[in-house]
């Protein structure tokens, strides 16, 4: 019964995402993240950028003993995420906060997370990282999605559409910082749309 309910909910989310042009994780990238999380087995996960709840629900499904706190600033997406999370049956394990992640007080969240997943405004990744790494447990991992930005990160900046150049420049700077940050072991996976894994030493 629960599995049918969950399958129906996940399909409804995917249908809604297509109909309303809401970006949710692609199948390959989601699968890769789930495998990484299964290897890590985090108990407490923080997600920056809930959208309509797809990845939070998928993570909760894959990790039966984990809880997820997730943050979404967009009013409509937040409301849809609330609905979908309730429908999924995981309402007791997923808490969603309606806030701009750059303005949310850290005190409303848990003091330590085993994993933090950043999948929000791409041009702000470094600011999200700098703010929320304070909540990461020692040995914890921060996962950053969309580091490839559909191939835009791999071409000369002059060939990137003007309106996306600042975002791509910020992503490149952030990636360079993390690959050289002695406090973290950082690797970049090419699967999906590029996932960066930063493990706190």
């Amino acid at each position: 019964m629960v599995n049918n309910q969950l399958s129906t909910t996940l399909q409804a989310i995917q249908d809604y995402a297509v109909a309303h042009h809401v970006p949710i994780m692609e199948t390959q990238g989601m699968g890769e993240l789930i495998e990484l999380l299964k290897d890590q087995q985090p108990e407490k996960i923080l997600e920056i950028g809930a959208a309509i709840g797809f990845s939070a629900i998928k993570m909760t499904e894959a990790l039966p003993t984990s809880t997820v706190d997730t943050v979404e600033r967009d009013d409509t997406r937040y409301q849809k995420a609330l609905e979908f999370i309730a429908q999924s049956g995981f309402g007791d394990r997923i808490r969603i906060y309606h806030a701009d992640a750059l303005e949310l007080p850290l005190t409303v969240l848990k003091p330590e997370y085993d994993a933090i997943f950043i999948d929000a405004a791409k041009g702000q990744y470094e600011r999200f990282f700098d703010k929320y790494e304070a909540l990461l447990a020692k040995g914890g991992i921060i996962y950053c999605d969309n580091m490839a930005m559909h191939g835009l990160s791999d071409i000369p900046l002059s060939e990137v559409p003007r309106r996306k150049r600042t975002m791509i420049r910020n992503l490149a700077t952030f990636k360079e910082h993390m690959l050289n940050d002695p406090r973290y072991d950082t690797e970049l996976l090419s699967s999906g749309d590029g996932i960066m894994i930063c493990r706190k030493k």
Side-chain angles (χ1 to χ4, degrees), residues 9-66:
T9 301
L10 289 169
Q11 188 59 55
I13 294 174
Q14 291 169 297
D15 292 344
Y16 181 92
V18 171
H20 296 86
H21 309 288
V22 178
I24 60 174
M25 281 192 79
E26 297 165 3
T27 303
Q28 185 185 0
M30 190 77 244
E32 182 69 45
L33 177 65
I34 292 300
E35 289 307 311
L36 292 167
L37 289 170
K38 282 182 174 177
D39 287 343
Q40 185 196 356
Q41 287 296 313
E43 289 184 16
K44 294 181 289 187
I45 301 169
L46 173 64
E47 177 184 48
I48 308 301
I52 52 176
F54 181 68
S55 47
I57 292 169
K58 290 290 286 183
M59 289 188 287
T60 308
E61 175 193 21
L63 300 159
T65 61
S66 299

Side-chain angles (χ1 to χ4, degrees), residues 122-160:
K122 313 309 168 202
Q124 303 293 340
Y125 269 23
E126 190 150 13
R127 292 180 69 196
F128 292 136
F129 192 102
D130 289 347
K131 176 175 180 174
Y132 286 98
E133 68 171 332
L135 298 180
L136 187 66
K138 185 176 181 180
I141 301 175
I142 297 182
Y143 301 90
C144 304
D145 193 31
N146 300 117
M147 293 303 295
M149 272 311 295
H150 312 292
L152 292 179
S153 297
D154 300 324
I155 63 175
L157 197 61
S158 59
E159 295 176 23
V160 173

Side-chain angles (χ1 to χ4, degrees), residues 88-109:
S88 74
F90 292 144
D92 58 333
R93 292 172 52 208
I94 301 174
R95 292 192 304 178
I96 181 166
Y97 295 86
H98 187 199
D100 183 323
L102 291 174
E103 298 173 2
L104 182 68
L106 295 183
T107 50
V108 307
L109 299 169

